[in-house]
Each structure stands twice: as C-alpha cells, then as structure tokens.
Amino acid sequence: MLKLEEEICKRGKIMNGEILKVDSFLNHQVDPKLMEAIGEEFYHYFKKYPITKVVTIETSGIAPALMCALKLEVPMIFIKKAQPSTMQEAYVSHVFSFTKNKSYTICLSKHLIDKEDHILFIDDFLANGQAFLGVEQIIREAGAVIDGVGIVIDKTFQDGHLLIKEKGYDLYSLAKIKSLDENGVIFDESL
Ligand code: G4P
C-alpha cells in the first residue's frame, strides 16, 4: 500500500536493526485518515470471505481492525491481555514476546465467538508470529474458522510471515519490510 509505505518512510524511525518506531501515526498517536485507508484496503482484499467478526489483540491492532470492521459491517473484538474480574467464562492462551522477552496471557470471553463465526485477524505488526499463534489457539477452541490474516506492517525478515503462510492462511500485509538499517527501510515487493 503506497500511502502506508510513504508514511513509514516519512514518519517512521528505525530504532535498531529490528524495530521500527511508528508512534506518530500507528501505535501511540493514531492517524485517522490513514486508518480509514487501511480499513478500506483490508476490506477490498477480504470481502471475498463471509467474515462475521474482525479480531485483534489490544492495544495497537484496535485502530486498523475497527476501520476494517466498519467497512465489512461486522463487530470488532479485541482480545485482552489481562482477564478482568467481570470476565467469567474465558478462552485463555499464552504468548511469548521475543521483542519484550516475556510471556503474557491473552483471553477472550467465551460468549463472543462460536463455531458459526468466520474470523479475520488484523494486527499492526507481524514479527515472530507468536501473538497470532495465541489467537489461533483461542479461535480453534471456540470452533470458529480463520478466513484471513491482515497485517499493517509485516517484518518479513523475521519468522512470522513464513509461519503463517506455511500454515496455509491467506495473509495480506500492507507494508512488507525486508530490512531496516541505517540506510532506511527496504520494502519487499516479492512475497
Ligand atoms: P509477534 O507477536 O509477531 O511474535 O511479535 P513480538 O512478540 O516480537 O512483538 C511484541 C510486541 O512488539 C507487539 O506489540 C508488536 O506489535 C511489537 N512490535 C514488533 N515489532 C515491532 C516494531 O518493529 N516496531 C514496533 N513499534 N513494535 C513492534 P504489543 O506488545 O502487543 O503492543 P501493543 O499492541 O499493546 O501496542
């Protein structure tokens, strides 16, 4: 997606060889017009499926997931990273974050997804794919189907891209980055 690639080049900051800081438009301050365009892009690609719910993990997946859900006219669910006391019946899974070097628990209230559901999973970043594996386990437990995976920024030099493709999912990434270094961001148009 050209507009997103332009924003990454203009407003993104490379932190080290692996981390791209995008807190001026995606994961701290959020650019609503860009999110709208991202939602539309996902909508055009995934409208071929009978999606009933868009699912993400809090926090930064919420903005693109919501804009996509708005276009698809379905609810958006964000999986939580802590189980509130009001959530009694929950599917629970564990995710290891290589970026943060720690594990965290994710949970979803059982009444929100069932075996009739067709899920589109949306997230802001794909790095090692661990968050997706946790979500996949929860959605499988609920008996629902994952029709597609939409990623805003996919760091294809890490393991997540291949992991999701090899599982056979329809993965659509709006900006694919094959390297980050002092010379800038190199996008991957080949995958
Ligand atoms: P994985 O799920 O693909 O295995 O990713 P990983 O554990 O490595 O990433 C953990 C967190 O780090 C995720 O955010 C992810 O979005 C974020 N992240 C990964 N690579 C980058 C990057 O290059 N730049 C930035 N800015 N973030 C990155 P999170 O902890 O879930 O944060 P949030 O959604 O609550 O904001």
Side-chain angles (χ1 to χ4, degrees):
M1 182 182 170
L2 190 60
K3 172 85 182 126
L4 175 63
E5 292 184 353
E6 285 170 359
E7 290 300 322
I8 291 171
C9 292
K10 202 165 74 188
R11 295 157 82 185
K13 302 238 175 335
I14 297 164
M15 301 302 289
N16 58 40
E18 289 204 341
I19 300 293
L20 175 71
K21 199 167 175 216
V22 287
D23 63 356
S24 60
F25 61 95
L26 181 59
N27 62 11
H28 196 9
Q29 176 170 262
V30 179
D31 180 332
K33 281 278 172 210
L34 182 61
M35 291 309 121
E36 185 180 35
I38 283 171
E40 267 171 24
E41 188 73 27
F42 282 137
Y43 164 75
H44 284 297
Y45 185 81
F46 288 112
K47 66 180 182 198
K48 59 191 172 191
Y49 295 111
I51 308 284
T52 58
K53 277 158 196 166
V54 175
V55 169
T56 189
I57 302 192
E58 64 177 351
T59 307
S60 307
I62 292 175
L66 182 63
M67 297 315 282
C68 176
L70 182 66
K71 289 294 297 179
L72 286 167
E73 299 185 15
V74 298
M76 183 277 292
I77 298 169
F78 60 96
I79 291 182
K80 298 203 176 200
K81 287 183 178 162
Q83 190 169 350
S85 57
T86 49
M87 192 190 288
Q88 277 139 6
E89 299 264 308
Y91 297 112
V92 176
S93 179
H94 304 280
V95 174
F96 180 74
S97 167
F98 289 102
T99 306
K100 296 188 172 168
N101 195 27
K102 63 174 188 194
S103 291
Y104 59 96
T105 300
I106 57 172
C107 58
L108 167 77
S109 191
K110 282 194 173 173
H111 74 279
L112 292 177
I113 292 185
D114 63 33
K115 58 181 175 27
E116 309 299 325
D117 280 316
H118 283 254
I119 304 298
L120 170 59
F121 176 69
I122 298 276
D123 213 353
D124 59 333
F125 270 97
L126 176 59
N128 295 291
Q130 296 301 303
F132 175 74
L133 291 181
V135 171
E136 182 191 43
Q137 188 194 320
I138 280 179
I139 290 171
R140 273 204 187 143
E141 253 187 87
V145 175
I146 299 175
D147 281 339
V149 179
I151 299 293
V152 179
I153 302 177
D154 182 348
K155 298 192 294 180
T156 59
F157 57 89
Q158 294 187 260
D159 296 338
H161 185 93
L162 208 57
L163 183 146
I164 293 175
K165 293 290 270 191
E166 282 181 353
K167 280 172 164 277
Y169 290 108
D170 189 353
L171 170 63
Y172 183 53
S173 306
L174 303 187
K176 287 172 285 193
I177 294 179
K178 70 174 168 194
S179 71
L180 291 170
D181 60 30
E182 63 280 1
N183 301 316
V185 178
I186 311 281
F187 294 102
D188 194 338
E189 309 300 344
S190 68
L191 295 165

